[in-house]
Amino acid sequence: MRIEKSVKCIDCPLKCDIYLTAREMGMEEFLEPAYVYYKKYETICRQGSKIKNATILIQGNAKMFVSGHCSRNIILNILIPSNYIGLISVYGLPDYPYSVSALEDCHTCQIDNEALEQIYLKNEHFMKLLNHAFGSSVANIMDKLISLNQKQIRGRVAESLLYLSRLYDSNSFKLSITRRELGELSAISEENTVRALTELRNEEIISIDGRNIVLKDTDTLARISMNC
Amino acid sequence: MRIEKSVKCIDCPLKCDIYLTAREMGMEEFLEPAYVYYKKYETICRQGSKIKNATILIQGNAKMFVSGHCSRNIILNILIPSNYIGLISVYGLPDYPYSVSALEDCHTCQIDNEALEQIYLKNEHFMKLLNHAFGSSVANIMDKLISLNQKQIRGRVAESLLYLSRLYDSNSFKLSITRRELGELSAISEENTVRALTELRNEEIISIDGRNIVLKDTDTLARISMNC
DNA sequence: TTGCGACATTGATTTAAATCAACTTTTTTA
DNA sequence: TAAAAAAGTTGATTTAAATCAATGTCGCAA
C-alpha cells in the first residue's frame, strides 16, 4: 500500500455513509482518512492478510476474488465507486477472506478499523446499514454457489452479462475485464467463455465489438441464465 | 410448523447464549419461547419463506441446504444441538436463503425475531457474539465455493469426512446422513460418493461399516482434501 | 516500423463427473 | 412376517467442460 503524495488523489466526496454518519455524530475528525492511489493491476488487499482498515473505492473499478491452492481464481464481484472493502472485520474476521485488485487506476479512502467500529457500535442506523449490506452479500454468495454447481456455461455467462449490465445500469457497456476474467467471474475457462459469447452473438441475443457489449435481448438472456 | 403439546418436548436448557443474555438483562420473560418438535424428515424452515423467529436446535441433527431451480440440493451444514437457525434476519434478510430439515426427530426452541433483535441491539456482548458467528459462516461459504469449483471428487469427499469428524469431535462417528446426502454435502452424485468412499477404504485410509465410519489416517485424508 | 507480449478466437482432444442400468442389502410398513 | 420401498453398490456409457494447440489481432515500446 503506497500513499502517493505526488499523484493528485481524489478526496472522499463526503457523501459516503461512513462520513455522513461520522459528521452527524460530530466524529468527523476522528476518522483521519488516508487517500491512497493504486495503479492498474495493483493489489488493494490480499487474501489471508490482516485487515487494518476499511477502504472506500472512490474512483475506478476493481475485482474482488478468492483463490484456491492451485488452479484459477473466482471473481466474486466487480467493485465500483462507493463500494467498501474490508467491512467484514466488523464481523470478527481478522483476515481478508478475499483479494481485491485494481482493474484500472483507482482512488481509495482508507479509515482505521477501530474508528469504523466505534461508529458502528454507537450509531444504530449505521449499524443496520452495514448489517444489511453484509446480509445481502451472504445471499449473493449463496446464489453464486448454486449457479456454479448447477448452471452450465451458457447460463453462467448469461448470468455474468446480466450482472454487469445491472452493475453499470445499462444494456450497453464497456467491459473493464478481460475474457479470462469474465471466465473467472463465471468460474469457467477463458476458451469456453469466448465460445459462449460467440454463440450468443450468432443468435443475435447480444452484440460484441471488442470490449463493448450490448445486450439486445435481455429476456432471452434471463431465460438462458435461469435454465439448468 | 406444529406445536406438539402431546409430545413431551425438551425445554431449552437455559444455557444457550440468547437465554443467558436475556436473563442477565432481566428480559427472560420477554422471550416467550415456543418449544416445537419435528419428526424425522420434517422441514424446519423453507428457502424463500419469511423468517418469523429464531430457532435453537436443542436435540437431534438437521441439515441446512440450498436448492436450485432444478437439479439437486447442496448441503451447507449439518446442524447439531445449540446451533441457531434464522439469525440472518438480524442482518436484514426477510426470507430464509436456505432450507433446514430434520435428519432425525428434533426438539427446538423458537423465539420471536423482534425479541431477539431487541436483545441484539441492547447488549453489545451478545451483538458481537452473533456478528462473529455470522462472519465466520461467510468465511465457510467462501471455502465451499472454492472447494466446489476446484477440488475433485476424492478431495471433496475427504473434506466432508474431516468436516463431520470435527463436528462430532471424533475420528469415529455414525453418519446421520445417507450416501446421497453425503454427496449433497460434497456437491457430487451419490454414485461417485460411494466410489470415493470405497476407494478410500481400499487404501485403508478409512474404514466403513454401513453408517459407521472411522477415519484411520487423518493426515493422508487432509492431504487428499488439500490437493487440487 | 516493426516486433513483442498480452489478449482473443477456433478447432481437436482429453478428462472428470454425471447419468444410466442392473443389482444387492437394509429398512419400513401394511 | 412378508412385501414394498429406500438405501447402497458397481459397471458401462455419455456428456460437459477443461485442456492443448494453433493462429489471429491489437497496442505499445524499442
Side-chain angles (χ1 to χ4, degrees):
Chain A
M1 183 180 76
R2 301 164 307 112
I3 301 194
E4 298 256 350
K5 290 284 178 205
S6 57
V7 177
K8 190 182 176 331
C9 197
I10 297 169
D11 280 0
C12 186
L14 280 182
K15 64 171 188 185
C16 81
D17 299 315
I18 295 179
Y19 270 84
L20 288 177
T21 308
R23 210 175 188 177
E24 208 174 84
M25 296 167 74
M27 290 176 69
E28 198 175 342
E29 303 298 306
F30 187 52
L31 291 177
E32 295 177 25
Y35 295 101
V36 184
Y37 171 83
Y38 295 92
K39 282 217 167 61
K40 191 174 177 180
Y41 301 125
E42 265 193 296
T43 298
I44 297 175
C45 72
R46 176 164 284 118
Q47 186 173 333
S49 67
K50 288 264 162 292
I51 308 181
K52 299 207 179 80
N53 45 45
T55 301
I56 303 141
L57 188 56
I58 300 172
Q59 194 175 75
N61 282 2
K63 60 174 176 178
M64 178 181 281
F65 61 99
V66 286
S67 12
H69 294 279
C70 16
S71 191
R72 83 187 146 283
N73 304 322
I74 299 176
I75 296 179
L76 295 173
N77 279 306
I78 304 295
L79 303 180
I80 58 172
S82 89
N83 285 166
Y84 295 101
I85 302 162
L87 283 192
I88 203 172
S89 79
V90 173
Y91 301 92
L93 286 206
D95 306 329
Y96 289 103
Y98 47 70
S99 298
V100 174
S101 72
L103 291 169
E104 47 198 40
D105 292 1
C106 282
H107 296 265
T108 70
C109 169
Q110 306 189 344
I111 59 168
D112 185 67
N113 264 348
E114 296 291 323
L116 178 73
E117 194 166 356
Q118 284 311 309
I119 300 176
Y120 174 88
L121 290 174
K122 283 187 184 141
N123 190 299
E124 196 173 306
H125 173 70
F126 184 61
M127 194 192 76
K128 283 188 177 172
L129 212 78
L130 289 204
N131 279 357
H132 288 209
F134 196 59
S136 42
S137 80
V138 173
N140 284 341
I141 302 178
M142 286 197 182
D143 283 350
K144 194 123 197 150
L145 202 68
I146 284 290
S147 99
L148 213 130
N149 188 244
Q150 302 188 354
K151 286 183 189 175
Q152 45 197 70
I153 285 181
R154 271 171 74 85
R156 290 201 227 166
V157 170
E159 187 180 38
S160 291
L161 293 174
L162 290 169
Y163 163 77
L164 292 168
S165 134
R166 254 179 286 118
L167 188 76
Y168 296 124
D169 199 23
S170 166
N171 286 338
S172 167
F173 53 88
K174 185 172 165 60
L175 280 182
S176 54
I177 52 177
T178 65
R179 298 293 195 264
R180 161 171 289 271
E181 286 168 330
L182 183 58
E184 288 177 348
L185 186 61
S186 323
I188 57 179
S189 71
E190 182 182 4
E191 293 94 324
N192 282 334
T193 306
V194 172
R195 271 184 268 266
L197 285 177
T198 307
E199 232 180 83
L200 293 172
R201 187 193 54 202
N202 291 344
E203 295 166 24
E204 307 206 7
I205 296 165
I206 64 175
S207 72
I208 311 175
D209 176 23
R211 291 269 178 112
N212 296 302
I213 298 203
V214 181
L215 309 190
K216 292 161 77 177
D217 184 352
T218 49
D219 289 352
T220 303
L221 215 50
R223 214 171 314 114
I224 291 169
S225 162
M226 293 303 278
N227 267 0
C228 311
Chain B
M1 185 180 74
R2 302 162 307 113
I3 301 193
E4 298 256 349
K5 291 282 180 208
S6 57
V7 177
K8 190 182 176 333
C9 199
I10 296 170
D11 282 359
C12 186
L14 280 182
K15 64 171 185 184
C16 81
D17 300 315
I18 296 178
Y19 269 83
L20 287 178
T21 308
R23 209 176 189 176
E24 208 172 86
M25 297 168 72
M27 289 175 71
E28 200 175 342
E29 303 298 307
F30 187 52
L31 292 177
E32 294 178 26
Y35 294 100
V36 185
Y37 171 84
Y38 294 92
K39 280 219 170 62
K40 191 175 177 179
Y41 302 125
E42 265 192 297
T43 297
I44 297 176
C45 72
R46 176 165 284 119
Q47 188 175 331
S49 68
K50 288 264 163 293
I51 308 181
K52 298 206 181 80
N53 44 47
T55 301
I56 303 139
L57 188 55
I58 301 173
Q59 194 175 76
N61 282 1
K63 60 174 177 179
M64 178 181 281
F65 62 99
V66 285
S67 11
H69 295 280
C70 15
S71 191
R72 82 186 147 284
N73 305 323
I74 298 176
I75 296 179
L76 296 174
N77 279 307
I78 304 296
L79 304 179
I80 58 173
S82 90
N83 285 166
Y84 293 101
I85 302 163
L87 282 194
I88 202 170
S89 80
V90 173
Y91 301 92
L93 286 205
D95 305 329
Y96 289 103
Y98 48 72
S99 298
V100 174
S101 73
L103 291 168
E104 48 197 40
D105 292 1
C106 282
H107 296 264
T108 70
C109 169
Q110 306 190 343
I111 60 167
D112 185 69
N113 265 348
E114 297 290 324
L116 178 74
E117 195 166 355
Q118 284 311 309
I119 299 177
Y120 174 88
L121 290 175
K122 283 186 187 146
N123 189 298
E124 197 174 304
H125 173 71
F126 184 61
M127 195 193 74
K128 284 188 175 172
L129 212 78
L130 288 204
N131 279 358
H132 287 210
F134 196 57
S136 44
S137 81
V138 172
N140 284 340
I141 301 178
M142 287 198 181
D143 283 350
K144 194 124 196 147
L145 203 67
I146 285 289
S147 99
L148 213 130
N149 187 246
Q150 302 188 354
K151 287 183 188 174
Q152 43 197 73
I153 285 181
R154 272 171 74 85
R156 290 203 227 163
V157 170
E159 187 180 38
S160 292
L161 291 175
L162 289 169
Y163 163 76
L164 291 169
S165 133
R166 253 179 287 118
L167 188 76
Y168 296 125
D169 197 25
S170 165
N171 285 338
S172 166
F173 52 87
K174 186 175 166 58
L175 280 182
S176 55
I177 52 177
T178 65
R179 298 294 195 262
R180 159 170 291 272
E181 286 167 330
L182 183 58
E184 288 177 348
L185 186 61
S186 322
I188 56 178
S189 71
E190 182 183 3
E191 293 95 324
N192 282 333
T193 305
V194 171
R195 271 184 268 266
L197 285 177
T198 307
E199 234 178 82
L200 294 172
R201 188 194 52 202
N202 291 344
E203 295 166 25
E204 307 206 7
I205 296 165
I206 63 173
S207 72
I208 311 175
D209 175 24
R211 293 267 178 116
N212 296 304
I213 297 203
V214 181
L215 309 189
K216 291 161 78 177
D217 184 353
T218 49
D219 288 352
T220 303
L221 215 52
R223 214 170 316 114
I224 293 170
S225 161
M226 293 303 277
N227 269 0
C228 309

